[in-house]
């Protein structure tokens, strides 16, 4: 009979210790922060630099790409651009907004991939 009482007491102690460990483990999990997500970090990297932004992550992924020469006719100017991964799209227009074109450049291959010429319909 003493052995049975000792086993019941031992089992009771094991149950109490087990419940205590479960509660302790849950409290640790609740207080743990997810180190894979940094606070105040945007989930989408903008395609172009913006004031106050840190585009170091997108620039370091591409690395230095050297010089890419784009020929502009006299009077043409760069109106806008966007960068999407290793490619850049340049919007170039003539002096009066005519002869508009988009030039797609591969920054990793350092070459022009193609041009899209924008023309107004004849009236």
């Amino acid at each position: 009979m003493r052995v049975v009482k000792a086993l019941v007491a031992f089992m009771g102690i094991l149950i109490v210790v087990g419940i205590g460990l479960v509660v302790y483990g849950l409290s640790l999990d609740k207080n743990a922060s997810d180190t894979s997500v940094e606070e105040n970090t945007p989930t989408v990297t903008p395609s172009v630099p913006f004031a106050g932004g840190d585009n170091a992550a997108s620039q370091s992924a591409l690395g230095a790409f050297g010089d890419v020469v784009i020929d502009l006719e006299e009077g043409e100017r760069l109106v806008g651009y966007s960068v999407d991964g290793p490619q850049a799209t340049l919007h170039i227009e003539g002096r009066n907004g005519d002869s508009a074109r988009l030039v797609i450049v591969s920054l990793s291959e350092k070459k022009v991939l193609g041009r899209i010429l924008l023309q107004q319909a004849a009236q």
Side-chain angles (χ1 to χ4, degrees), residues 7-120:
L7 283 176
V8 169
F10 182 69
M11 292 298 285
I13 292 172
L14 285 178
I15 290 172
V16 170
V17 169
I19 291 173
L21 288 174
V22 168
V23 170
Y24 177 72
L26 289 174
S27 70
L28 285 180
D29 190 40
K30 202 183 271 189
N31 295 330
S33 63
D34 188 1
T35 58
S36 65
V37 177
E38 294 180 23
E39 291 183 26
N40 298 327
T41 302
T43 56
V44 177
T45 304
S47 61
V48 295
F50 61 93
D54 180 20
N55 287 349
S58 62
Q59 292 172 356
S60 66
L62 180 61
F65 59 85
D67 295 336
V68 179
V69 177
I70 306 296
D71 295 325
L72 295 178
E73 301 294 327
E74 187 172 333
E76 285 186 326
R77 63 190 176 102
L78 178 66
V79 176
Y81 70 95
S82 66
V83 177
D84 185 17
Q87 293 183 352
T89 302
L90 311 174
H91 181 184
I92 299 171
E93 286 184 357
R95 181 171 300 166
N96 299 322
D98 56 348
S99 304
R101 61 187 167 131
L102 300 175
V103 180
I104 294 86
V105 179
S106 170
L107 300 175
S108 59
E109 296 176 20
K110 303 177 189 175
K111 67 178 186 176
V112 175
L113 297 176
R115 298 180 309 153
I116 301 172
L117 304 176
L118 307 173
Q119 297 179 357
Q120 290 185 348

